[in-house]
């Protein structure tokens, strides 16, 4: 259809296009323009987008952009592959320990010889710029740094050194003090579950003590990692902070090294210390100061933490290490028990499948150690084999002792506490996921029994406190019965290592003596039979003190010694006498005997008392259990009860040895587990622990002092074992308060009370001699 033309402006006419009137052209053109613009914009967009993608993929700049799924997967895989390659080329951890010259030989050495040897990577000590010796420890002396406190410059320069020398060799870097203990196995497991390619600053978050609130220049959302329990940096964090160490040192706001280090990390790495409540348990700092970790170590904090701080005395570092090594041994024993139980279960399944004709392999201990936990493991065959239960509450009710009710002794209390702690750890193993925690409050009552072959059984009634902190918060008490079994591990026999050429070493006996002529004669008769007649390679040094009695038998004693010397003249066995004129002191006497050994070779010393009798087996035990530079022997001797409480002995106390003196039973005496007076030690090892404490006068306490110092020494082990061939013959004990300190007098009275008779003998004596009212 055609429209009639109309005159346009100025009288002219517009033409006709494609049979359309000129008036309809704008409408058609608009439609075509939209289509053309769409396709033109689409083409330009595709071209620009493709060029931009190529530019961004090839660029190393870290600019956020959106990729297609294909390109995104390619980029993530490339980054992951590059990160994995870098991680594989790195070791896990570098630990830098800040110390001072005065602590190199004590704290630093203790760290290096305990947990420092187990670091999953490398450990380095950092100290001041001096020329002092470092005892072969890995020590770095920082230039221009001294040991002044606070150690701000030392801490920052240590991080700078670690970055410049090890920045590309480790995933994680730890800053630690020389008074912190680190459980390296647990730290390794902790770190391997965290991505080290991200900026991380890990430790126990702090904001300062109450007195410092508002004085540390920290904002409400800022914190720092406390330096004491240790702080950990990922290699990314260290790479961002270390280049700016000098800038951080020029802008210090406080004297606290850890606060300023946290401020520096916040400024240049852009991250705070880990905000986590759990970190105070993982990186544990005790508020007890110098007394921290000096008492009992069986606590929840010691078991749960990865780092423990502070340990001010280096001897306590060794003590804590020994304790945790014992815990590790028990855990490995438990793992072994679980493996045996799995093996026993597999054998049982095979027997069911293969039939009764199948003969299982001979597997040790599976019949006992492979049994699943049960209170019915042991089935008695008759009435005499029934195991009785002991009742446990505020006291112990038991048929095992003469007194049916007694106080809970320390070993039993410790054992029950260990069991309860393990129960609570098992209950709270997944408490975080469930949003609750259950705390132990009190043991209401319990039962226990001991099977020497299988273990200890417990039935405990526990009062607990249930705390729910997720959702509807609530706290209420609950009771729980626990049926538990502490299984014994496999029986292990350990032989004391022997040194072949020392099997015939000369033993230098040191005998302190003051008076007691008849007892000395008995000792010499025993010495004659055991050492003189077989011509043993021994030397007896008698350190003689005058007695305060009216008749001093020193002359008679010297006559006996002179007769012995004449009798053994020309033989390798020797008897010597050293006279002292001052008041008797056992520690000084033993030190004198030690000093009398002037041989070029080391001397094997054996401290003995005049009340002791022994056999040739004791000589063998001394030589085999005492190892130079490694082990000191503290034998457990058998001490006789007062013979007046039982049938008379067939010996004369004057000079002869009782024919039944070496017969051991509970009615004749007891093992002196807490007696340390008899000891054999090499002279060099005695000097290493400081020798005898000659400031202790009189008789008593000097042996405990020596034992404590030997146990605390890192290089020496203490070997203790009952020796049936070493017997302390009974003698009356006089506790003169005028000559003894209060502590010595208390120990003396306790020893005298313990030597009267056995509990059974005393109970029978009380029953036979007790007069009941009204009879």
């Amino acid at each position: 259809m055609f429209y009639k033309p109309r005159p346009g402006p100025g009288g002219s006419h517009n033409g006709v296009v494609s049979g359309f009137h000129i008036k309809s052209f704008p409408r058609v053109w608009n439609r075509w323009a939209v289509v053309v613009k769409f396709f033109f914009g689409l083409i330009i967009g595709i071209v620009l987008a493709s060029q931009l993608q190529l530019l961004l993929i090839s660029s190393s700049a870290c600019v956020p952009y959106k990729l297609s799924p294909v390109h995104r997967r390619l980029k993530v895989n490339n980054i992951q592959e590059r990160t994995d390659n870098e991680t594989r080329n790195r070791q896990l951890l570098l630990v830098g320990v800040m110390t001072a010259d005065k602590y190199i030989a004590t704290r630093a050495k203790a760290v290096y010889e305990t947990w420092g040897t187990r670091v999953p990577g490398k450990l380095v000590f950092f100290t001041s710029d001096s020329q002092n010796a470092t005892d072969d420890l890995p020590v770095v002396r920082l230039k221009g740094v001294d040991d002044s406190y606070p150690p701000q410059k030392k801490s920052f320069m240590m991080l700078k050194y670690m970055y410049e020398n090890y920045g590309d060799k480790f995933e994680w870097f730890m800053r630690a003090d020389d008074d912190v203990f680190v459980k390296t196995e647990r730290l390794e497991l902790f770190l391997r579950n965290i991505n080290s390619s991200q900026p991380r600053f890990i430790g126990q978050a702090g904001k300062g003590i109450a007195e410092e609130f508002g004085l540390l220049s920290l904002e409400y959302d800022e914190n720092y990692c406390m330096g004491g329990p240790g702080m950990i940096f990922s290699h990314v964090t260290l790479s961002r902070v270390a280049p700016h160490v000098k800038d951080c040192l020029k802008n210090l706001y406080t004297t606290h090294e850890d606060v300023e280090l946290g401020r520096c990390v916040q400024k240049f790495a852009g991250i705070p210390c880990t905000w986590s409540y759990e970190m105070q348990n993982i990186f544990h700092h005790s508020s007890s100061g110098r007394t921290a970790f000096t008492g009992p170590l069986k606590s929840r904090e010691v078991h749960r933490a990865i780092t423990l701080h502070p340990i001010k005395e280096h001897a306590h570092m060794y003590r804590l290490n020994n304790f945790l090594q014992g815990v590790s041994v028990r855990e490995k024993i438990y793992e072994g028990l679980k493996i045996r139980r799995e093996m026993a279960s597999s054998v049982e399944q095979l027997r069911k499948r293969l039939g009764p004709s199948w003969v299982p392999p001979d597997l040790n201990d599976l019949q006992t150690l492979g049994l699943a936990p049960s209170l019915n493991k042991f089935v008695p065959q008759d009435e005499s084999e029934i195991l009785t239960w002991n009742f446990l509450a505020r006291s112990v009710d038991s048929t095992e002792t003469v007194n049916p009710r007694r106080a809970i002794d320390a070993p039993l209390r410790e054992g029950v506490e260990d069991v309860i702690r393990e129960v609570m750890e098992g209950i709270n193993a997944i408490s975080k996921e469930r949003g609750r925690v259950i705390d132990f409050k009190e043991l209401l009552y319990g039962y226990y029994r001991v099977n020497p072959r299988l273990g200890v059984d417990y039935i405990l009634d526990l009062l607990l406190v249930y705390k729910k902190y997720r959702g509807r918060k609530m706290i209420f008490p609950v009771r729980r019965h626990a049926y538990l079994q502490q299984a014994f591990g496999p029986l292990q026999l350990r032989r004391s290592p022997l040194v072949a050429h020392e099997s015939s070493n000369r033993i230098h006996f040191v005998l302190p003596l003051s008076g007691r002529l008849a007892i000395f004669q008995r000792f010499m008769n025993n010495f004659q039979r055991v050492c003189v007649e077989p011509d043993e390679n021994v030397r007896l040094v008698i350190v003689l003190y005058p007695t305060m009695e009216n008749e001093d038998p020193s002359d008679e004693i010297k006559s006996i010694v002179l007769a012995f010397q004449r009798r053994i003249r020309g033989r390798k066995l020797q008897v010597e006498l050293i006279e002292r004129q001052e008041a008797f002191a056992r520690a000084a006497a033993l030190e004198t005997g030690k000093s009398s050994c002037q041989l070029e070779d080391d001397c094997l010393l054996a401290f003995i008392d005049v009340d002791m009798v022994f056999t040739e087996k004791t000589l063998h035990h001394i030589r085999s259990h005492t190892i130079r530079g490694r082990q000191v022997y503290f034998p457990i001797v058998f001490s006789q009860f007062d013979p007046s409480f039982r049938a008379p002995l067939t010996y004369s106390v004057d000079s002869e040895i009782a024919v039944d003196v070496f017969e051991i039973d509970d009615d004749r005496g007891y093992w002196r587990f807490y007696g340390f007076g008899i000891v054999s030690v090499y002279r060099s090892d005695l000097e290493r622990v400081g020798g005898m404490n000659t400031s202790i006068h009189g008789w008593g306490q000097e042996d405990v002092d020596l034992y404590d110092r030997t146990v605390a020494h890192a290089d020496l082990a203490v070997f203790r074992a009952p020796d049936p061939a070493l017997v302390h013959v009974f003698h009356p004990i006089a506790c003169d308060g005028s000559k003894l300190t209060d502590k010595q007098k208390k120990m003396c009275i306790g020893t005298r009370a313990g030597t009267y008779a056995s509990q059974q003998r005393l109970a029978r004596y009380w029953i036979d001699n007790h007069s009941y009212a009204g009879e």
Side-chain angles (χ1 to χ4, degrees):
M1 179 178 183
F2 292 92
Y3 292 90
K4 184 180 179 179
R6 292 183 180 181
S12 63
H13 295 271
N14 293 324
V16 179
V17 180
S18 301
F20 285 94
H21 190 271
I22 191 63
K23 190 173 182 180
S24 67
F25 179 78
R27 187 180 300 118
V28 176
W29 171 250
N30 288 341
R31 293 172 182 170
W32 279 100
V34 172
V35 174
V36 170
K37 288 180 180 180
F38 172 76
F39 283 105
F40 181 77
L42 179 63
I43 294 171
I44 295 298
I46 292 174
V47 172
L48 291 178
S50 62
Q51 293 298 319
L52 182 60
Q53 286 181 359
L54 292 175
L55 177 63
L56 292 176
I57 292 175
S58 62
S59 174
S60 60
C62 184
V63 180
Y65 61 95
K66 230 177 182 182
L67 294 177
S68 68
V70 175
H71 284 115
R72 188 181 299 115
R73 285 195 297 271
L74 289 174
K75 177 174 172 57
V76 170
N77 291 337
N78 290 336
I79 294 175
Q80 185 65 43
E81 182 178 356
R82 186 168 64 250
T83 302
D84 291 343
N85 290 334
E86 292 176 354
T87 301
R88 278 194 293 268
N89 294 329
R90 298 176 188 267
Q91 298 184 60
L92 181 65
L93 177 65
L94 172 66
V95 179
V97 180
M98 286 200 310
T99 187
D101 274 352
K102 63 180 180 179
Y103 296 129
I104 288 289
T106 53
R107 291 184 184 176
K109 186 178 181 181
V111 167
Y112 188 70
E113 293 179 341
T114 54
W115 63 268
T117 59
R118 303 187 293 269
V119 171
K122 185 179 180 65
L123 178 138
V124 181
F125 295 95
F126 291 86
T127 186
S128 62
D129 186 10
S130 67
Q131 302 300 322
N132 296 333
T134 58
D135 293 330
D136 299 326
L137 299 182
V139 174
V140 171
R141 297 194 173 275
L142 299 170
K143 294 183 178 180
V145 174
D146 56 27
D147 286 334
S148 60
Y149 191 87
Q152 291 176 318
K153 187 175 182 181
K154 182 186 293 184
S155 178
F156 278 98
M157 297 308 293
M158 178 181 76
L159 294 181
K160 187 173 184 294
Y161 182 94
M162 293 166 70
Y163 171 70
E164 292 176 348
N165 293 273
Y166 301 102
D168 58 347
K169 298 178 181 178
F170 293 90
E171 295 183 55
W172 298 95
F173 299 83
M174 182 176 185
R175 169 236 173 270
D177 288 339
D178 58 7
D179 60 350
V180 65
F181 189 95
V182 181
K183 299 179 187 176
T184 53
E185 295 83 359
R186 294 190 58 186
L187 179 61
E188 179 180 3
L189 181 63
F190 176 76
L191 293 178
R192 290 197 184 280
N193 286 281
I194 305 175
N195 188 355
S196 63
S197 62
Q198 297 180 359
R200 304 285 188 184
F201 185 35
I202 303 173
Q204 183 184 154
K207 291 182 68 68
I209 59 178
E211 292 78 4
E212 297 175 328
F213 184 75
L215 302 178
L216 301 179
S217 300
L218 295 174
E219 298 296 334
Y220 73 95
D221 58 345
E222 292 181 341
N223 66 6
Y224 63 93
C225 283
M226 295 172 59
M231 55 183 74
I232 299 176
F233 311 81
S234 65
H235 64 91
V236 176
T237 303
L238 188 65
S239 66
R240 295 181 182 181
V241 173
H244 304 284
V245 160
K246 293 184 178 179
D247 182 67
C248 294
L249 284 173
K250 292 179 181 178
N251 298 276
L252 301 177
Y253 292 84
T254 69
T255 59
H256 297 292
E257 164 260 334
D258 48 3
V259 175
E260 299 306 319
L261 189 55
R263 197 189 317 278
C264 190
V265 173
Q266 178 75 52
K267 179 177 180 181
F268 293 103
I271 56 173
C273 184
T274 43
W275 285 110
S276 175
Y277 180 80
E278 285 182 304
M279 286 300 166
Q280 65 180 331
N281 296 323
I282 297 175
F283 295 83
H284 179 68
H285 170 76
S286 174
S287 59
S288 301
R290 301 193 69 87
T291 62
F293 310 111
T294 59
L297 296 175
K298 291 187 176 182
S299 63
R300 182 173 60 179
E301 292 77 14
V302 172
H303 282 264
R304 294 177 59 183
I306 292 180
T307 69
L308 298 166
H309 176 267
I311 305 171
K312 295 300 184 183
E313 296 295 333
H314 68 282
H316 294 145
M317 185 76 72
Y318 293 107
R319 174 175 175 261
L320 180 58
N321 180 71
N322 291 340
F323 172 77
L324 293 175
Q325 289 292 90
V327 173
S328 177
V329 169
R330 289 194 294 273
E331 291 175 351
K332 288 179 172 56
I333 291 175
Y334 177 61
E335 293 297 324
L337 286 175
K338 291 197 295 185
I339 292 173
R340 284 182 171 86
R341 289 168 182 169
E342 293 176 2
M343 293 171 62
S345 177
S346 300
V347 168
E348 186 62 27
Q349 293 296 325
L350 286 172
R351 183 181 287 108
K352 291 180 179 179
R353 288 176 176 270
L354 301 178
S357 61
W358 177 70
V359 179
D362 185 15
L363 300 175
N364 295 331
D365 300 331
L366 284 191
Q367 293 183 349
T368 55
L369 300 177
L371 295 176
S374 171
L375 296 181
N376 297 320
K377 276 185 180 180
F378 175 72
V379 180
Q381 300 300 318
D382 54 51
E383 184 179 350
S384 62
E385 293 184 356
I386 295 177
L387 299 176
T388 58
W389 289 90
N390 303 307
F391 180 75
L392 179 68
R394 299 188 181 276
S395 59
V396 178
D397 291 85
S398 171
T399 60
E400 296 176 352
T401 58
V402 177
N403 184 7
R405 174 172 292 181
R406 67 184 190 277
I408 303 176
D409 54 17
L412 176 59
R413 186 181 302 278
E414 184 176 350
V416 173
E417 289 175 352
D418 288 347
V419 169
I420 293 176
R421 182 173 54 253
E422 292 179 7
V423 169
M424 298 311 302
E425 289 178 359
I427 292 175
N428 290 309
I430 55 174
S431 60
K432 183 178 179 181
E433 291 80 354
R434 296 184 176 182
R436 51 82 169 159
V437 64
I438 300 177
D439 291 334
F440 170 74
K441 186 175 182 181
E442 184 183 0
L443 172 64
L444 298 178
Y445 67 89
Y447 299 89
Y448 75 93
R449 67 181 181 184
V450 180
N451 186 319
R453 291 179 58 248
L454 300 175
V456 187
D457 299 331
Y458 294 94
I459 301 176
L460 304 178
D461 188 9
L462 307 177
L463 179 60
L464 311 176
V465 178
Y466 180 94
K467 301 178 181 179
K468 184 180 179 184
Y469 54 84
R470 184 180 297 171
R472 183 182 177 184
K473 298 179 176 59
M474 60 182 68
I475 300 177
F476 54 87
V478 296
R479 291 178 65 178
R480 177 166 181 172
H481 276 79
Y483 300 86
L484 309 165
Q485 187 170 72
Q486 274 187 317
F488 290 153
L491 181 64
Q492 297 181 353
L493 299 178
R494 189 191 74 174
R495 288 185 177 273
S496 178
L498 303 179
V499 182
H501 72 277
E502 293 184 344
S503 59
S504 60
N505 273 7
R506 168 169 285 193
I507 300 175
H508 298 260
F509 284 101
V510 181
L511 174 66
L513 183 63
S514 177
R516 310 187 69 187
L517 177 61
I519 306 300
F520 175 68
Q521 181 65 60
R522 184 185 65 199
F523 177 88
M524 295 305 294
N525 289 344
N526 184 71
F527 186 78
Q528 165 79 20
R529 182 178 59 84
V530 176
C531 300
V532 177
E533 293 175 1
D535 196 18
E536 289 282 353
N537 186 15
V538 300
R539 172 174 171 261
L540 175 63
V541 180
I542 304 166
V543 184
L544 180 61
Y545 286 80
T547 181
M548 302 303 175
E549 299 173 358
N550 295 331
E551 297 182 1
D552 185 3
S554 297
D555 292 338
E556 291 86 344
I557 291 174
K558 287 188 283 186
S559 298
I560 296 174
V561 173
L562 183 60
F564 255 85
Q565 290 173 337
R566 291 172 179 169
R567 199 180 313 161
I568 63 175
R569 187 171 298 167
R571 304 170 68 175
K572 59 184 178 181
L573 185 142
Q574 297 179 8
V575 176
E576 299 178 15
L577 179 68
I578 301 176
E579 293 189 73
R580 303 297 297 266
Q581 299 303 320
E582 64 268 22
F584 177 82
R586 187 173 188 270
L590 297 177
E591 189 70 19
T592 301
K594 181 206 77 173
S595 301
S596 69
C597 182
Q598 300 295 337
L599 298 179
E600 294 182 1
D601 295 334
D602 210 348
C603 295
L604 174 55
L605 302 171
F607 297 156
I608 197 78
D609 285 345
V610 72
D611 301 297
M612 305 301 302
V613 293
F614 54 91
T615 70
E616 61 280 356
K617 292 182 180 180
T618 300
L619 306 182
H620 170 71
H621 295 160
I622 290 173
R623 291 188 175 108
S624 61
H625 297 325
T626 312
I627 306 173
R628 181 190 290 113
R630 295 172 55 187
Q631 185 168 279
V632 181
Y633 179 40
F634 284 86
I636 301 173
V637 306
F638 186 76
S639 186
Q640 289 185 340
F641 288 132
D642 187 346
S644 64
F645 278 92
R646 57 188 174 89
L649 293 174
T650 58
Y651 73 95
S652 170
V653 76
D654 292 335
S655 61
E656 295 299 326
I657 306 299
V659 295
D660 60 349
V661 68
F662 294 108
E663 293 184 12
I664 309 298
D665 61 54
D666 292 339
D667 203 37
R668 294 177 180 271
Y670 66 100
W671 293 104
R672 191 170 283 189
F673 291 101
Y674 300 104
F676 310 101
I678 311 302
V679 57
S680 62
V681 58
Y682 278 89
R683 181 184 60 183
S684 58
D685 294 335
L686 181 60
E687 292 172 348
R688 290 170 72 184
V689 300
M692 300 302 301
N693 186 356
T694 56
S695 65
I696 299 176
H697 301 286
W699 198 294
Q701 198 177 344
E702 80 291 330
D703 52 350
V704 178
D705 176 78
L706 175 62
Y707 179 80
D708 288 341
R709 286 185 284 118
T710 306
V711 169
H713 200 280
D715 298 330
L716 293 175
V718 169
F719 184 83
R720 301 214 74 200
D723 186 351
L726 191 59
V727 176
H728 180 274
V729 181
F730 174 82
H731 64 88
I733 300 176
C735 302
D736 189 350
S738 62
K739 299 179 182 179
L740 302 174
T741 64
D742 292 340
K743 188 173 183 179
Q744 287 176 316
K745 183 178 179 181
K746 184 177 180 181
M747 293 172 62
C748 180
I749 294 174
T751 302
R752 182 173 62 185
T755 58
Y756 282 137
S758 64
Q759 286 187 338
Q760 291 84 355
R761 178 70 65 175
L762 289 173
R764 287 196 296 269
Y765 180 84
W766 185 87
I767 293 173
D768 294 341
N769 294 275
H770 184 71
S771 176
Y772 291 93
E775 291 185 356

